[in-house]
Amino acid sequence: MDRADLVVVGAGTIGGWASVFAAAAGVGRVIVLDQGLVGMGASSRAAGIVRAQGGTPTTVALGRWSIDFYRGQAAAYGTDSGFREQGYLILAVTEEDERLGHARVAMQHGAGLTDVRWLDAAEAAEVAGTLAPDGHRGGSYRDGDGFIDPPRNVRAYSLAMQAAGIELRERTAFTGLRTSPDGARVTGVETSAGVIETDRVLLTGGPALRAVGELAGLRIPAGAARHTVAVLEPHEAFAVERMPMVFDLTAGLYWRLEEGGLLFGWSDPDEAPGVAREIDWAAYDRYRERLAGFVPITRGLGLRKIWAATIDYTSDHLPILGPALRPDGSRIEGVTVALAAGHGMMWGPGVARVAADLAVHGETSLVDVTDLGLDRFDEHGRSRVAPDSVALPYPVSAD
Ligand SMILES: Cc1cc2nc3c(=O)[nH]c(=O)nc-3n(C[C@H](O)[C@H](O)[C@H](O)COP(=O)(O)OP(=O)(O)OC[C@H]3O[C@@H](n4cnc5c(N)ncnc54)[C@H](O)[C@@H]3O)c2cc1C
């Protein structure tokens, strides 16, 4: 029978980087399973936005760690995820947004992110280049936020996995766990290609994590929803090296440079959760109109490409990082669960590092994971923890 020191389910950015960190921590044989191909879940379809401007001290820490990681990647792995520092402006549209925004900046300063500053509307328009000076009240801004190139990130962790001697098994589905007779401890995983003996398993799956959990006998309140990204044709206003990204937080609309054009993305909070199957053109028209209000130069620009994909989320917008707990609260020793909750580009490396720490050592010093485990959710998937305030407006429930 096959044997591994760690089996990772899912070869997205979380499973991929976690396997690399586990191997670096000295785990011998690491096998990564994917029912499809590496990166072909959410990880290759993301918009790539990366920010340390989180809504809680924990997500600030995950963002900072991840940015440092992206910066040091070339030196550590001889390859990179294409991180470009562009600056990030989180807009306030209403008076209430402004009040909450100032409170958020104070929290971030307290969490050590001292280079976030508040820009008034005129300063914001000046810094963000193509942004109109009206229709908003300025916002919080940080120079060091930026974006990565998601397909390049898939390439980067694939190469790092290969260099670390990790076995990637594509088109191999995880189908269940094997446990000791009393059910207390994992002894192996069942796959579409046979059983692998192991006493350590890391379950990832992004938008499919709930289904992965069901296969393992767990109830994981991870949601999945449509998220759409579009790229507009090139324009001379976007033929610049640097143009800060902007997030219209209330509406869940964001934009950034992309190949001489403008990339923008949105999530529609009024839409029922589920797997993305097609483009919602009525929503496209609505969000384009809103975008044109902020960036008038986009009015009339042609659409170059657009895609709808399924994004992962939780009801409190925070990651899931902790041991596997059955619905009755009993723990399966040796099994760890990890989800970036729709922030796998900005927090991905940090989440993956915490996941590897928990899988290998049972603890981590990167962030306090006390409130990130499955035990924060009730049987309806509601969290007892206050939500992260800087997030796309996903459906309120993860069911
Ligand atoms: C359109 C879009 C835009 C986004 N933009 C951003 C952004 O700008 N910034 C940001 O931070 N985040 C963004 N995200 C979110 C980010 O992409 C995800 O949080 C992240 O990619 C999740 O990584 P993952 O490894 O957990 O999941 P995935 O990349 O989905 O990987 C999970 C893998 O598990 C595999 N799997 C599932 N079930 C099984 C099974 N039974 N057996 C074996 N394998 C299985 C799947 O095949 C898949 O490859 C975006 C997401 C989308 C969809």
Side-chain angles (χ1 to χ4, degrees), residues 305-370:
K305 54 184 171 181
I306 184 165
W307 62 99
T310 316
I311 194 165
D312 44 318
Y313 71 94
T314 51
S315 54
D316 57 16
H317 313 312
L318 294 165
I320 297 178
L321 284 161
L325 301 176
R326 294 193 180 86
D328 66 5
S330 64
R331 182 171 168 156
I332 310 177
E333 290 299 331
V335 183
T336 306
V337 179
L339 180 80
H343 301 88
M345 305 295 113
M346 60 187 76
W347 307 337
V351 165
R353 176 54 193 271
V354 172
D357 286 351
L358 296 178
V360 178
H361 307 296
E363 60 182 13
T364 183
S365 57
L366 203 157
V367 288
D368 179 359
V369 289
T370 317

Side-chain angles (χ1 to χ4, degrees), residues 8-16 33-51 150 157 172-175 204-209 211-212 215 225-229 254 256 307-312 338-348 392 394:
V8 177
V9 175
T13 197
I14 303 304
L33 306 174
D34 201 287
Q35 65 181 7
L37 298 177
V38 60
M40 295 307 280
S43 294
S44 58
R45 277 125 179 156
I49 306 285
V50 171
R51 56 168 164 77
Y157 70 72
T172 307
F174 163 78
T175 55
T204 77
L209 183 62
V212 168
L215 293 167
R226 172 164 53 188
H227 186 74
T228 312
V229 179
Y254 58 84
R256 69 162 173 85
W307 62 99
T310 316
I311 194 165
D312 44 318
L339 180 80
H343 301 88
M345 305 295 113
M346 60 187 76
W347 307 337
L392 290 163
Y394 300 124

Side-chain angles (χ1 to χ4, degrees), residues 20 98 208 220:
V20 171
E98 193 173 351
I220 305 178

Side-chain angles (χ1 to χ4, degrees), residues 149-174:
D149 174 346
R152 193 174 169 94
N153 176 54
V154 173
R155 172 180 170 273
Y157 70 72
S158 301
L159 289 171
M161 287 167 70
Q162 203 171 50
I166 289 155
E167 274 180 60
L168 170 64
R169 296 194 185 170
E170 295 177 299
R171 297 196 173 88
T172 307
F174 163 78

Side-chain angles (χ1 to χ4, degrees), residues 53-329:
Q53 287 184 73
T56 70
T58 301
T59 57
V60 166
L62 287 170
R64 291 178 83 183
W65 198 91
S66 299
I67 288 174
D68 286 347
F69 173 81
Y70 288 133
R71 283 212 181 102
Q73 250 180 321
Y77 300 100
T79 178
D80 63 73
S81 300
F83 179 68
R84 286 176 66 191
E85 194 179 293
Q86 293 277 301
Y88 199 26
L89 172 70
I90 301 182
L91 279 184
V93 174
T94 63
E95 224 173 287
E96 176 67 354
D97 291 346
E98 193 173 351
R99 191 185 66 72
L100 292 171
H102 281 292
R104 185 177 71 233
V105 172
M107 178 280 294
Q108 289 163 342
H109 287 177
L113 197 68
T114 50
D115 54 356
V116 185
R117 57 199 161 97
W118 191 267
L119 305 181
D120 66 24
E123 289 167 336
E126 164 111 33
V127 165
T130 53
L131 177 70
D134 46 16
H136 58 85
R137 309 170 74 88
S140 67
Y141 177 77
R142 180 169 182 269
D143 255 336
D145 292 341
F147 61 83
I148 61 163
D149 174 346
R152 193 174 169 94
N153 176 54
V154 173
R155 172 180 170 273
Y157 70 72
S158 301
L159 289 171
M161 287 167 70
Q162 203 171 50
I166 289 155
E167 274 180 60
L168 170 64
R169 296 194 185 170
E170 295 177 299
R171 297 196 173 88
T172 307
F174 163 78
T175 55
L177 288 178
R178 291 223 166 157
T179 58
S180 53
D182 63 358
R185 156 152 280 293
V186 70
T187 57
V189 297
E190 293 167 1
T191 80
S192 53
V195 175
I196 307 170
E197 268 186 19
T198 186
D199 52 16
R200 273 196 217 113
V201 178
L202 172 61
L203 297 178
T204 77
L209 183 62
R210 175 190 293 257
V212 168
E214 279 163 13
L215 293 167
L218 314 175
R219 191 189 174 286
I220 305 178
R226 172 164 53 188
H227 186 74
T228 312
V229 179
V231 182
L232 300 180
E233 67 175 311
H235 185 280
E236 60 186 17
F238 305 128
V240 290
E241 262 306 296
R242 185 179 169 111
M243 192 189 90
M245 311 174 297
V246 183
F247 190 8
D248 168 16
L249 185 56
T250 333
L253 170 72
Y254 58 84
W255 60 92
R256 69 162 173 85
L257 286 181
E258 171 77 357
E259 293 180 352
L262 199 75
L263 174 152
F264 69 102
W266 74 88
S267 266
D268 183 349
D270 297 329
E271 161 177 329
V275 172
R277 313 191 80 88
E278 57 177 342
I279 310 292
D280 177 347
W281 290 105
Y284 168 77
D285 289 341
R286 274 199 321 275
Y287 282 95
R288 258 211 86 160
E289 193 50 40
R290 189 162 174 106
L291 176 67
F294 290 118
V295 189
I297 214 158
T298 60
R299 208 178 285 283
L301 283 186
L303 175 65
R304 193 177 188 195
K305 54 184 171 181
I306 184 165
W307 62 99
T310 316
I311 194 165
D312 44 318
Y313 71 94
T314 51
S315 54
D316 57 16
H317 313 312
L318 294 165
I320 297 178
L321 284 161
L325 301 176
R326 294 193 180 86
D328 66 5

